[in-house]
Amino acid sequence: MSQSGQLYASAILVKILVVGSGGREHALAWKLSQSPRAERIFCAPGNAGTEQLGENVPIAANDLAGLVRFARDQRIDLTVVGPDDPLAAGVVDLFEGAGRRIFGPNKSAARLESSKIFAKEIMRKCHIPTALAGSFSESDDARSFCERLQFPIVIKADGLALGKGVIIAQDCDEAATAIREMMNEGKFGEAGRRIVVEEFLRGSECSVHALVSGGTYQMLATARDHKRALDGDKGPNTGGMGAVSPADNWTADAQEAFDRDIMRPLVQGLMRCGVAFSGLLFPGLMMTAEGARVLEFNCRFGDPETQTLMPRLKSDLIELIEATIDGALEDVTIEWDQRPAVTVVLASGGYPGPYEGGKPIAGLDECAQLDGVHVFHAGTRRENDRIVTAGGRVLAVTALGDNVQLARERAYDAVSRIHFEGCHYRRDIAVPPVAGNIAGH
Ligand SMILES: Nc1ncnc2c1ncn2[C@@H]1O[C@H](COP(=O)(O)OP(=O)(O)O)[C@@H](O)[C@H]1O
Ligand SMILES: [Mg+2]
């Protein structure tokens, strides 16, 4: 966009709709609300946190027709989609067809996340470093492929499976069970009818976010999340129990290799294949002794990485999103608070297994007063004049500090002031990974 174009755009107030109801959406809505250009913010369906920034509307994130109708009726200027499912279902195509501005990839481009087989094909075509893999639509073929690999191996449902579609199999029996359940018994429905089988990579993980607009991109700050429920990366997998930004396993060399070997070949390759990606791309990386390997592509902001990144982002998010939609990413510079941020997720008792909702939450007002602390809501709702739990992950508490240690202390100090029955959280968020988990051990 030209200089005058930018000035012109800057004067315009925008009515915004954020789609989703988690901590990620509260963090996005909060950051968008900081812009002098934010006129009004709606969230569909939102939570007790987004409600404080604007207005929640009772439309489910996957009710695409309902969303587009609302956007048209309310003359929403900009819609920002949080979760993956509406993108995979084509919410962007629908909005664009109705002449409404929306941030995110269209259905075809969202296949990078919604089909792990498609992602592998693109990576093969573009020579992007990733785990060696085979893609299968017949279970017999998948099984014989497993027998030729060294265990452990990784079995992935092709489609979206609520973060549960990846199995690490230690031996042939475990692999055969996973293949049968996914491909023959329909454990993940259509999402598991086809699978990817790949080599197990050792190292530490890193989340990288980039705004992508056709052949250009701009990276956001790095982050590292903590997926396991318990300290020391033990216990079952969760949606994410905390995060730290910047990632402690990211170096200047990693950055150079990432641009050279992953991002540039990817955006160019997508263009060559006729896939016009516009939106947020978040490759999940494994930092191995041989360098970064792509585990998967996500086509939307991470949760809880977003809760860690937004408080560090100094630039105006509306401007960044508009530049992405308008193909003007070269014109923007993204500025960051140099201080690291640490996010601790507070979960309901029993999560990631079954849990009860409706528990009153105490201490939120006290936390809101703390310097450098942001409390993002996830599974919360207002019940008369109090706020109660309404989901597995309830809150994400982010603190900024002059160094990671200070940010951690501040985050945990805030966490200690919040109470609800059954609340649990990890005590080791942002503690560097133990030596055994680091690449090349
Ligand atoms: N090839 C691999 N080697 C080792 N671990 C893996 C591999 N692929 C996935 N994982 C682990 O499984 C998790 C989930 O896999 P991912 O590909 O990110 O799928 P999703 O997020 O859709 O469940 C990763 O965060 C990582 O911990
Ligand atoms: Mg993942």
Side-chain angles (χ1 to χ4, degrees):
M1 198 184 281
S2 68
Q3 191 65 30
S4 59
Q6 235 170 10
L7 286 173
Y8 175 64
S10 305
I12 298 175
L13 290 177
V14 285
K15 270 209 239 176
I16 301 165
L17 171 64
V18 176
V19 177
S21 61
R24 163 182 54 206
E25 286 75 18
H26 186 197
L28 289 172
W30 167 76
K31 182 62 195 169
L32 290 162
S33 76
Q34 301 286 298
S35 167
R37 295 185 49 214
E39 182 185 341
R40 209 165 156 196
I41 298 195
F42 297 93
C43 206
N47 57 38
T50 61
E51 192 184 58
Q52 292 163 23
L53 299 169
E55 211 175 302
N56 286 350
V57 289
I59 304 173
N62 56 10
D63 176 3
L64 307 195
L67 292 170
V68 84
R69 202 177 314 121
F70 178 81
R72 207 188 288 129
D73 292 350
Q74 292 289 329
R75 298 177 185 280
I76 299 293
D77 301 299
L78 177 64
T79 299
V80 179
V81 185
D84 48 14
D85 317 11
L87 295 169
V91 71
V92 171
D93 310 61
L94 202 66
F95 269 65
E96 285 176 352
R100 290 276 143 213
R101 266 157 92 75
I102 184 164
F103 174 73
N106 61 24
K107 187 173 179 170
S108 165
R111 282 180 299 162
L112 268 185
E113 174 165 8
S114 67
S115 170
K116 287 192 158 60
I117 293 179
F118 176 77
K120 279 287 182 192
E121 270 168 28
I122 292 283
M123 285 192 270
R124 188 175 46 75
K125 279 188 188 147
C126 304
H127 308 289
I128 291 172
T130 182
L132 292 173
S135 303
F136 301 94
S137 52
E138 298 293 339
S139 53
D140 286 345
D141 298 344
R143 260 187 300 273
S144 23
F145 182 73
C146 290
E147 281 159 17
R148 302 210 305 269
L149 296 178
Q150 216 184 338
F151 282 86
I153 59 168
V154 185
I155 297 174
K156 301 185 172 189
D158 173 50
L160 299 177
L162 300 170
K164 296 186 164 55
V166 173
I167 304 290
I168 296 174
Q170 300 298 334
D171 53 43
C172 269
D173 282 351
E174 283 183 26
T177 304
I179 291 169
R180 192 186 64 241
E181 286 178 350
M182 285 190 200
M183 301 186 80
N184 307 117
E185 296 169 2
K187 185 168 182 187
F188 301 112
E190 277 310 301
R193 291 289 173 205
R194 299 198 300 159
I195 63 167
V196 170
V197 178
E198 68 182 31
E199 65 172 327
F200 179 83
L201 299 171
R202 283 168 217 281
S204 59
E205 291 178 58
C206 184
S207 303
V208 187
H209 287 63
L211 294 167
V212 177
S213 182
T216 57
Y217 68 92
Q218 286 241 19
M219 259 187 74
L220 305 190
T222 58
R224 183 164 66 83
D225 81 344
H226 297 64
K227 280 262 178 272
R228 300 292 202 92
L230 306 175
D231 288 1
D233 286 329
K234 300 204 166 60
N237 252 321
T238 70
M241 295 299 287
V244 55
S245 174
D248 45 22
N249 54 3
W250 196 253
T251 59
D253 284 351
Q255 179 68 57
E256 199 188 314
F258 178 71
D259 287 319
R260 185 189 58 225
D261 302 334
I262 297 175
M263 281 311 282
R264 270 188 239 127
L266 178 70
V267 297
Q268 285 162 10
L270 286 171
M271 298 286 279
R272 272 202 309 278
C273 299
V275 178
F277 193 102
S278 170
L280 190 288
L281 187 78
F282 150 24
L285 303 179
M286 183 70 87
M287 311 303 288
T288 75
E290 289 80 39
R293 299 283 178 273
V294 176
L295 294 179
E296 63 159 350
F297 291 114
N298 301 292
C299 292
R300 33 79 198 167
F301 285 95
D303 186 338
E305 288 90 339
T306 307
Q307 295 90 304
T308 316
L309 292 175
M310 288 305 118
R312 292 193 64 213
L313 178 62
K314 282 181 155 173
S315 308
D316 184 325
L317 185 57
I318 295 180
E319 305 269 327
L320 296 182
I321 283 178
E322 287 189 338
T324 308
I325 296 173
D326 295 336
L329 272 178
E330 292 101 334
D331 299 345
V332 299
T333 37
I334 308 182
E335 287 181 54
W336 296 96
D337 192 322
Q338 289 310 306
R339 291 174 298 169
V342 171
T343 301
V344 180
V345 169
L346 281 67
S348 290
Y351 175 81
Y355 54 83
E356 283 175 20
K359 312 287 183 203
I361 306 170
L364 291 171
D365 291 340
E366 189 184 330
C367 275
Q369 309 300 320
L370 300 173
D371 207 31
V373 172
H374 302 264
V375 180
F376 296 116
H377 290 230
T380 67
R381 71 184 154 81
R382 179 168 294 282
E383 197 180 76
N384 303 319
D385 57 352
R386 52 182 202 174
I387 291 174
V388 301
T389 65
R393 290 188 292 169
V394 176
L395 299 165
V397 176
T398 299
L400 294 155
D402 287 335
N403 58 45
V404 173
Q405 179 60 25
L406 291 170
R408 277 194 77 224
E409 281 168 16
R410 207 178 241 175
Y412 279 107
D413 170 56
V415 165
S416 72
R417 299 165 195 250
I418 298 177
H419 301 280
F420 57 87
E421 192 188 313
C423 170
H424 73 95
Y425 55 88
R426 277 180 61 160
R427 320 261 156 173
D428 65 345
I429 302 301
V431 172
V434 287
N437 289 343
I438 292 182
H441 67 107

